[in-house]
Amino acid sequence: MNEKIALITGANSGMGLATTIEIANTGATVIMLCRNKQRGETALKTAKQQSGSENIELMICDLGSLESIRTFVSLFKEKYNKLDILINNAGVMSLKRELTSDGFEMQLGINHLGHFLLTNLLLEHLKNAKEARIINVSSGAHKIGKIDLQDPFLTKRYGLMKGYAQSKLANILFTKELSKKLKNTNITVNALHPGAVATNIGVNRKTGFGKNLIKLLKPFFLSPEEGASTAVYLATSDEVKDTTGEYFYKKKIALVSKIAEDNELSKTLWTWSEKQVFLTPKSDAKL
């Protein structure tokens, strides 16, 4: 792993930070992708202390902003000529309907569309690696999810779990479709359910609302380290180096909902997503 470069989104806390530390422990160079510079710098210090590695770098990107994602990718490409591991870990839950800077419903905008654009823009660098892996952190909540492309941003009837489950289902459909598009390449793509983990995912990004609830629930949930174990396994284990298009739970392939297996839906979602993030053949590297 010494020559490998890993990029982890949402790396400043919870599973993202735990994943950073574990991957850094393997000797890989790790880029922590964080939205907030101050929190990111604190997490970077923690990661270096706990891993004993100096090969960890902080880079800033807001997955709720298409402009921020494009700016980050440009900076990343100036500095690195390849990417071996991409862990799309960042996620949000929103009690009330909120919008990203581009007008997307927050959960679908960050959990799916932000990672969709980021991944596509980094494909060229992933192909430059000898063997590359993309890991998408989804959730068992996908099983109650539906994709409503008539009202994807839930303008008519919003619900926290409705929006969250939709975004996590989108993660799996994206994984399935991308694995097909990358067939016969050096890149594998897999999704996972980390289990019920006590993280800051439900804490409001602006106000911090929800922190006290997380503290109360912590004793009943997995630790971030336990939650990160499957992502680390998918990123580093030789056992899964040729596995692609699957959904994992506790380091084993797990069943997904019937909707998550819908090939036509995955194609439709892909086309819709391309339009939303303005992914065009002229300006971006295509599959």
Side-chain angles (χ1 to χ4, degrees), residues 249-266:
Y249 176 50
K250 293 184 177 179
K251 302 181 184 178
K252 296 187 183 301
I253 294 173
L255 295 174
V256 296
S257 67
K258 189 175 180 181
I259 298 174
E261 296 277 15
D262 189 327
N263 291 330
E264 288 305 311
L265 180 58
S266 67

Side-chain angles (χ1 to χ4, degrees), residues 162-226:
K162 183 180 181 182
Y164 184 69
Q166 176 179 241
S167 73
K168 295 289 106 179
L169 172 58
N171 290 157
I172 297 178
L173 290 166
F174 170 50
T175 299
K176 298 279 187 185
E177 189 63 21
L178 183 57
S179 69
K180 290 172 196 165
K181 291 179 181 292
L182 293 175
K183 191 178 180 182
N184 301 321
T185 73
N186 63 316
I187 308 172
T188 61
V189 195
N190 290 291
L192 69 105
H193 170 42
V197 185
T199 71
N200 291 328
I201 189 171
V203 177
N204 186 283
R205 284 156 60 95
K206 297 174 184 174
T207 66
F209 178 79
K211 281 187 177 179
N212 290 334
L213 180 61
I214 297 297
K215 287 179 184 177
L216 287 171
L217 293 174
K218 265 191 177 182
F220 306 99
F221 283 70
L222 297 175
S223 69
E225 291 75 20
E226 291 169 326

Side-chain angles (χ1 to χ4, degrees), residues 86-201:
L86 172 60
I87 302 180
N88 289 320
N89 162 81
V92 297
M93 294 181 79
S94 187
L95 287 171
K96 62 179 183 177
R97 186 174 179 273
E98 296 183 73
L99 303 179
T100 68
S101 59
D102 299 289
F104 305 144
E105 184 273 317
M106 187 78 75
Q107 295 180 111
L108 190 61
I110 292 173
N111 300 353
H112 168 60
L113 288 171
H115 284 119
F116 177 88
L117 178 61
L118 177 71
T119 303
N120 273 283
L121 294 181
L122 289 171
L123 283 177
E124 181 184 338
H125 271 49
L126 286 157
K127 287 177 181 176
N128 288 342
K130 185 179 178 181
E131 172 209 315
R133 305 185 189 191
I134 299 170
I135 296 105
N136 296 320
V137 178
S138 181
S139 167
H142 85 272
K143 293 182 179 179
I144 60 169
K146 294 179 181 178
I147 303 290
D148 181 5
L149 291 181
Q150 299 303 311
D151 185 27
F153 300 133
L154 310 179
T155 59
K156 296 173 184 174
R157 192 174 178 184
Y158 180 79
L160 182 152
M161 283 311 298
K162 183 180 181 182
Y164 184 69
Q166 176 179 241
S167 73
K168 295 289 106 179
L169 172 58
N171 290 157
I172 297 178
L173 290 166
F174 170 50
T175 299
K176 298 279 187 185
E177 189 63 21
L178 183 57
S179 69
K180 290 172 196 165
K181 291 179 181 292
L182 293 175
K183 191 178 180 182
N184 301 321
T185 73
N186 63 316
I187 308 172
T188 61
V189 195
N190 290 291
L192 69 105
H193 170 42
V197 185
T199 71
N200 291 328
I201 189 171

